[in-house]
Amino acid sequence: MFELRTWKEKLGFFALLAVIAFFLFFPVYWALSSAFKANGELYRMDPTFVPHQPYLGHFVSALTEGPLMLQLGNSLVTSTASALLNAVLAAFAGYSFAKFDYPVKKPLMLLILSAQMFPFGVLLISIYPMLQSVGLLDTRVGLTISYIVFALPVSTYMMYSYFKQVPNELIEAARVDGASNFKIFRRIVMPISLPAFITVALYAFMWSWNDLLYSMTLITSDDKRTVGPGLLLRYINENNADWGGAMAASFIVAAPIILIFAVLQKQFIGGVTSGAVK
């Protein structure tokens, strides 16, 4: 760690932090400020940094008009399903790579991780005809599967890194007592790996919740749209640009992620950092 010895070094360091914080948080503040401005104030030539009179009309309109609540429900279903299934599959795969030996283990793991080298669009080009051929295009199930395909490689490696730290002596002791491999995994390994499991589930949930490309391409029915395409098509399109409504709806959409992370941040940070040290 570096030390700040003189007052000039300290001043420069805190000035740099202030600049970084400004670039990080000012757009968030401006979006929140715009959400509370009436259209007359929002579109005036000389912008105001603080709303003259807080206006809740954009929030009321977002909640009561249009399909935002339906889209939130669709996002909640697909994101939760993909998060749980992704975490379960990643736990099984990561445990297999960490605690079992078989001839194709390393090549198989490299093959899984190599999927992350391809851009979103390349994977989507492959996923689209596959879902179409089995009748899962424009379905929540098909969208959930596409989310799992993208998130599973990273999730598997995260679980693998965590399981590598589980002492082999603990597993061998349970095996001597007559426990099967599945019972060891379920009764011993998973309870002490809960932080990593939560981290993987949160990672998949946030990726699914914030997705735009996959849901825009794989879902065409209005009643199945998720929040990403829903916000874009309703508030910002070739015929309309409702910035106040878009900002208000964006904060409504962000609320579940903020709430979940606030509740589970301890487990999330523990799961992220646990695989970094031996």
Side-chain angles (χ1 to χ4, degrees):
M1 292 292 293
F2 64 92
E3 294 184 9
L4 303 176
R5 300 180 182 277
T6 66
W7 68 269
K8 291 183 179 180
E9 292 177 345
K10 294 179 181 179
L11 181 62
F13 177 72
F14 286 112
L16 178 62
L17 288 182
V19 171
I20 294 174
F22 176 81
F23 278 100
L24 286 176
F25 294 110
F26 182 75
V28 178
Y29 166 76
W30 189 255
L32 184 61
S33 175
S34 299
F36 284 99
K37 292 177 183 177
N39 286 334
E41 183 179 359
L42 186 62
Y43 293 107
R44 59 187 297 178
M45 293 298 296
D46 50 331
T48 56
F49 289 92
V50 179
H52 291 320
Q53 185 174 356
Y55 176 70
L56 298 178
H58 296 308
F59 289 93
V60 174
S61 176
L63 291 172
T64 59
E65 301 175 10
L68 180 60
M69 299 307 296
L70 175 63
Q71 293 161 1
L72 281 170
N74 291 333
S75 287
L76 186 62
V77 170
T78 56
S79 298
T80 302
S82 63
L84 293 177
L85 290 173
N86 173 77
V88 171
L89 293 174
F92 280 113
Y95 184 69
S96 171
F97 289 134
K99 297 302 180 183
F100 292 92
D101 290 321
Y102 40 92
V104 296
K105 182 174 75 171
K106 289 186 178 180
L108 183 59
M109 188 170 185
L110 290 175
L111 180 64
I112 293 175
L113 291 176
S114 67
Q116 293 300 297
M117 296 189 303
F118 300 99
F120 293 171
V122 174
L123 294 177
L124 186 58
I125 292 172
S126 302
I127 292 172
Y128 189 96
M130 291 180 183
L131 295 179
Q132 188 177 37
S133 64
V134 295
L136 291 178
L137 198 63
D138 194 27
T139 64
R140 298 180 186 89
V141 175
L143 184 61
T144 301
I145 293 173
S146 71
Y147 289 155
I148 295 174
V149 168
F150 182 82
L152 189 57
V154 173
S155 301
T156 298
Y157 187 76
M158 292 171 67
M159 295 302 296
Y160 162 80
S161 300
Y162 195 95
F163 288 142
K164 285 289 287 185
Q165 299 179 71
V166 176
N168 291 327
E169 294 79 7
L170 189 65
I171 297 174
E172 292 300 327
R175 200 167 276 145
V176 169
D177 290 338
S180 64
N181 288 326
F182 182 73
K183 188 174 183 179
I184 293 172
F185 175 77
R186 183 169 60 91
R187 295 286 185 88
I188 297 175
V189 177
M190 280 309 299
I192 62 178
S193 304
L194 190 59
F197 187 87
I198 292 175
T199 300
V200 166
L202 279 176
Y203 163 73
F205 185 90
M206 288 188 290
W207 148 248
S208 305
W209 188 268
N210 295 323
D211 169 63
L212 173 64
L213 178 62
Y214 279 42
S215 53
M216 177 74 83
T217 307
L218 300 178
I219 297 295
T220 56
S221 301
D222 291 336
D223 61 331
K224 299 173 186 174
R225 290 196 190 279
T226 56
V227 291
L231 294 183
L232 180 63
L233 295 174
R234 174 172 171 78
Y235 294 104
I236 304 172
N237 52 62
E238 64 273 13
N239 299 319
N240 183 38
D242 182 5
W243 292 108
M247 296 302 103
S250 297
F251 278 97
I252 294 173
V253 168
I257 289 289
I258 296 173
L259 179 62
I260 291 172
F261 187 80
V263 173
L264 300 176
Q265 61 176 322
K266 183 178 179 180
Q267 290 84 350
F268 181 80
I269 295 172
V272 169
T273 58
S274 60
V277 294
K278 297 292 184 182

